[in-house]
Amino acid sequence: MRLAVVGATGEVGRMMTRVLEEQKVKPSLIKFFSSKRSAGTELTFMGKSYYSEELVESSFDDLYDYALFSAGADVSRRFSPIAADKGTTVIDNSSAFRLTKEIPLVVPEINGGLLENYHGIVANPNCSTIQMVLSLQQVNNLYGLRTIVVSTYQAVSGAGRKGIEELDRQEKGLVPEASVFTRQIYRNVLPQIGEILDNGFSTEEMKMVLETRKIFDDEDISIWPTTIRVPVEYGHSESLYVETRKPFILEDLKRVIAASENVVLKDDIITPLEISGSDMTFVSRLRSFDGKRFLMWNIADNIRVGAATNAVRILLRHALLNRLS
Ligand SMILES: NC(=O)c1ccc[n+]([C@@H]2O[C@H](COP(=O)([O-])OP(=O)(O)OC[C@H]3O[C@@H](n4cnc5c(N)ncnc54)[C@H](OP(=O)(O)O)[C@@H]3O)[C@@H](O)[C@H]2O)c1
């Protein structure tokens, strides 16, 4: 298998490389790309040193089987069609193609079947959406989802390396001014992620609405998100209120969530510090008054579950379904 990692020096790119190693993917060729700024950065993969190369149009002449992109939407819009035209399956972490009708938006545990006989660009969903749909996958299958009201508590790493650096700088008292975030994030909570749109929702909130409906292939799910940035380094948390279409018995609901692929149900509370580095999505504080609606706390490592791990799971599922190794 021939692999390209684009955005290899970033938070998601570095983690994708680590997850590829952990999953024992053994490419016959692997190359790492970044912008000109960090071309030449040393990266290690399977104990061997590599140096990132500046991404240019001819970067895909090596005819890769897969290119994992995490360099932002503009880079994806410009370069991923070039790779796809050369026969490379692109797995794109950016928002560039997520809502394009003919491009599959994939969480393998839910709609991985879309990858069979598919070649071209595959979109990886937004981080807060992935962990939410993973927890609700079997609830949707068995009871149907009518309404989701969700408030997120999103880590600064969701804004990439520069988000972590801004929190670090403010913590050290070096530069209190905000540049990545709209206000100071240290000792604060910001009820805005992305731009605020004409309808009053933010771009991050609309991603949760539209991507969830696309992944579940159900335009009738009513989704009400408030996305919030908190001074946490890694791990997004979500508080969910969910109404189902069919009634449930709470003990059955617990069994259904606990049996969902790559989801762990905990009796105890669970916080971002405890789950950082895990590939699982954790649910706790599951509770209901009436068997028609329930509340839960949902948490996952945003760089792994919300980006790198899902991208590598897409690659592995695609390779399996299309007999590539
Ligand atoms: N962080 C998350 O939780 C998360 C979750 C899901 C999806 N995503 C998405 O993943 C993408 C990357 O996010 P990140 O958090 O990893 O950001 P990041 O830490 O800022 O890394 C960005 C990467 O993109 C590269 N890059 C920037 N401009 C480029 C260009 N013109 N040509 C080639 N490479 C370029 C950077 O290279 P240099 O080192 O040279 O600057 C770096 O490797 C974004 O689209 C983001 O929306 C992030």
Side-chain angles (χ1 to χ4, degrees), residues 7 9-12 34-35 37-38 70-72 75 157-158 160-161 302-303:
T9 51
E11 280 293 309
V12 175
S34 64
S35 79
R37 277 184 300 277
S38 58
S70 65
V75 174
S157 57
R161 203 179 32 206
N302 52 301
I303 304 288

Side-chain angles (χ1 to χ4, degrees), residues 32-95:
F32 298 95
F33 297 98
S34 64
S35 79
K36 194 174 181 175
R37 277 184 300 277
S38 58
T41 301
E42 186 176 0
L43 300 160
T44 54
F45 178 70
M46 299 277 189
K48 223 178 123 188
S49 283
Y50 293 83
Y51 295 89
S52 71
E53 297 174 27
E54 182 188 355
L55 184 71
V56 290
E57 294 195 356
S58 58
S59 298
F60 301 100
D61 289 353
D62 274 329
L63 305 180
Y64 301 98
D65 296 301
Y66 294 100
L68 296 163
F69 271 68
S70 65
D74 290 343
V75 174
S76 291
R77 273 191 210 99
R78 179 165 166 216
F79 290 96
S80 53
I82 298 173
D85 282 349
K86 290 186 188 293
T88 300
T89 298
V90 173
I91 300 165
D92 181 30
N93 275 284
S94 83
S95 58

Side-chain angles (χ1 to χ4, degrees), residues 42 113 124 130 141 150 157 169 171 213 221 280 285 289:
E42 186 176 0
N124 199 56
I130 294 178
N141 284 345
V150 54
S157 57
R169 275 196 306 273
E171 221 169 84
R213 290 179 180 155
I221 305 175
M280 304 301 279
R285 305 225 50 222
F289 287 123

Side-chain angles (χ1 to χ4, degrees), residues 126-158:
N126 167 263
C127 44
S128 36
T129 305
I130 294 178
Q131 68 180 73
M132 184 173 82
V133 296
L134 276 170
S135 296
L136 295 177
Q137 54 183 298
Q138 293 305 335
V139 179
N140 186 48
N141 284 345
L142 288 164
Y143 303 106
L145 295 167
R146 188 191 301 280
T147 302
I148 303 168
V149 182
V150 54
S151 296
T152 69
Y153 304 76
Q154 295 182 223
V156 292
S157 57

